[in-house]
């Protein structure tokens, strides 16, 4: 029987994604997978602020290096962690059906709310909100103008423990990760995508393979979700055309309705005082075209200026002793 080596990080969520992928390959392609845990730079720098140490690329580099070297046959990632341009020789061979793409507010003790107004009332005037995402901070600054945003890292259980022990008044996390790890009961309120546009690829599990590995390509194709792939291509095209990275304040979300892809995106100033938005729709057979149109509209409205300023601020921060 065919056996593949599947590379992954060792976090709770990464292992869930890896074991889910392995089970699907066993069922649909008759393939056994050996899960290979690879420690990345992001794992070793567990307490560092992502924007100061190189961004989310730190979570995939060593895994991609192992894939290119032939030490593993495929890699499983949260697609939002992948760089906009993959290393030469690698490609996304398949994606799994998308989980909830929204961001979620989590309050201590799992307090439930139903509206953003109720969240605001529960938080008060100057809440300490934990998130390590510059995209979230840039958009949430307008929703919670008195908030103090503080970085938070670690496994999901670690983050929730820090919240419940009083280190933060709230966390903002991806709803997908909470749901996949059976913590959906901790979601106090999910933020509508139009209020906080998700990260490109949020909620999508991506399977990365070598370009020339036809065997792996054929096997992962058996578990590929085509419409989720369309959405991912549209969203990643926006980032590629804008020249942005993982730690840039860019949100993009594609919704599929029949044969039409609806794509919305935002580029925000880091301080939340300015943003530009664009929306387009087009054929599911041409997601790159839709993505380029959205990116061009954003650039025409000043996105390049906002991103250049964000890049300058990030560079200044990372160079500080």
């Amino acid at each position: 029987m065919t056996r593949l080596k599947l590379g992954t990080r060792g976090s709770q969520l990464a292992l869930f994604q890896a074991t889910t992928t392995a089970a699907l390959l066993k069922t649909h392609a008759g393939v056994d997978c050996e899960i290979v845990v690879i420690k990345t730079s992001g794992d070793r720098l567990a307490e560092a602020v992502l924007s100061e140490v190189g961004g989310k690329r730190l979570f995939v580099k060593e895994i991609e290096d192992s894939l290119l070297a032939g030490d593993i046959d495929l890699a499983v990632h949260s697609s939002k962690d992948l760089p906009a341009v993959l290393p030469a020789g690698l490609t996304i061979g398949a994606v799994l059906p998308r989980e909830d793409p929204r961001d979620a507010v989590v309050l201590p003790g799992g307090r439930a709310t139903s509206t953003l107004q109720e969240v605001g009332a529960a938080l008060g005037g100057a809440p300490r909100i934990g998130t390590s995402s510059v995209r979230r901070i840039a958009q949430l600054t307008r929703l919670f103008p008195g908030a103090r945003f503080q970085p938070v890292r670690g496994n999901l259980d670690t983050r929730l423990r820090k919240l419940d022990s009083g280190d933060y008044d709230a966390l903002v996390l991806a709803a997908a990760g909470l749901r996949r790890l059976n913590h959906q009961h901790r979601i106090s309120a999910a933020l509508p995508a139009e209020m906080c546009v998700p990260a490109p690829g949020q909620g999508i599990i991506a399977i990365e393979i070598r370009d020339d590995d036809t065997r792996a390509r054929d096997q992962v194709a058996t578990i590929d979700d085509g419409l989720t792939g369309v959405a991912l291509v549209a969203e990643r095209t926006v980032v590629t055309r804008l020249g942005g990275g993982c730690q840039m304040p860019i949100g993009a979300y594609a919704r599929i309705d029949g044969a039409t892809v609806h794509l919305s995106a935002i580029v925000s100033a880091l301080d939340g005082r300015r943003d530009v938005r664009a929306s387009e729709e087009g054929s599911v057979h041409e997601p790159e075209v839709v993505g380029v149109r959205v990116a061009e509209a954003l650039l025409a409205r000043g996105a390049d200026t906002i991103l250049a300023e964000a890049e300058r601020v990030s560079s200044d921060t990372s160079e500080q002793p």
Side-chain angles (χ1 to χ4, degrees), residues 19-308:
T19 55
T20 297
T21 300
L24 288 170
L25 285 170
K26 176 70 172 179
T27 299
H28 294 275
V31 174
D32 278 332
C33 289
E34 174 188 348
I35 294 178
V36 180
V37 174
I38 300 171
K39 194 165 188 176
T40 68
S41 299
D43 299 314
R44 288 190 289 270
L45 298 169
E47 297 303 319
V49 178
L50 291 180
S51 59
E52 296 178 3
V53 294
K56 292 183 178 179
R57 179 74 173 83
L58 295 170
F59 291 121
V60 301
K61 183 183 184 301
E62 286 84 355
I63 299 175
E64 290 181 329
D65 288 345
S66 294
L67 186 56
L68 286 167
D71 297 330
I72 57 175
D73 301 298
L74 55 100
V76 176
H77 309 281
S78 293
S79 62
K80 67 176 183 176
D81 289 344
L82 288 169
V85 178
L86 299 182
L90 299 183
T91 189
I92 296 175
V95 296
L96 302 188
R98 190 173 213 165
E99 221 337 327
D100 189 338
R102 296 174 295 175
D103 291 308
V105 178
V106 181
L107 299 175
R111 281 184 287 164
T113 65
S114 59
T115 67
L116 192 60
Q117 289 73 22
E118 288 178 347
V119 169
L123 289 177
R128 299 161 299 155
I129 298 179
T131 177
S132 296
S133 164
V134 296
R135 171 194 59 84
R136 289 183 183 131
I137 294 171
Q139 295 187 65
L140 294 175
T141 295
R142 288 192 174 185
L143 296 178
F144 307 108
R148 291 170 289 158
F149 295 96
Q150 301 173 349
V152 58
R153 294 281 307 279
N155 276 332
L156 180 57
D157 285 346
T158 300
R159 298 185 190 200
L160 293 175
R161 186 167 58 252
K162 290 178 179 179
L163 170 69
D164 292 338
S165 66
D167 292 357
Y168 306 91
D169 298 308
L171 299 179
V172 179
L173 305 168
L178 289 160
R179 294 185 183 282
R180 286 177 173 140
L181 295 180
N182 293 318
H183 284 294
Q184 59 270 15
H185 61 283
R186 292 301 308 261
I187 297 176
S188 298
L191 297 173
E194 62 272 16
M195 288 187 176
C196 190
V197 184
Q202 186 156 300
I204 300 175
I205 296 171
I207 304 167
E208 193 176 23
I209 60 173
R210 290 184 295 277
D211 276 334
D212 59 0
D213 191 342
T214 55
R215 180 189 66 158
R217 183 187 297 273
D218 291 343
Q219 289 162 340
V220 301
T222 64
I223 62 172
D224 181 48
D225 187 86
L227 291 181
T228 298
V230 167
L232 183 59
V233 168
E235 292 166 15
R236 284 174 59 82
T237 298
V238 174
V239 183
T240 302
R241 178 64 187 87
L242 292 176
C246 293
Q247 278 294 298
M248 284 286 104
I250 301 171
Y253 173 54
R255 179 177 56 85
I256 310 299
D257 182 13
T260 302
V261 54
H262 304 267
L263 176 63
S264 298
I266 185 173
V267 174
S268 307
L270 293 177
D271 61 8
R273 294 180 181 177
R274 181 188 176 201
D275 63 49
V276 293
R277 296 174 180 258
S279 298
E280 294 282 348
E281 61 182 44
S283 169
V284 294
H285 301 294
E286 297 182 318
E288 298 98 334
V289 173
V290 181
V292 168
R293 288 210 308 263
V294 167
E296 294 292 347
L298 290 169
L299 290 169
R301 294 165 190 169
D304 51 347
T305 302
I306 295 174
L307 290 173

Side-chain angles (χ1 to χ4, degrees), residues 9 54-55 223 243 314:
R9 294 174 58 215
I223 62 172
S314 297

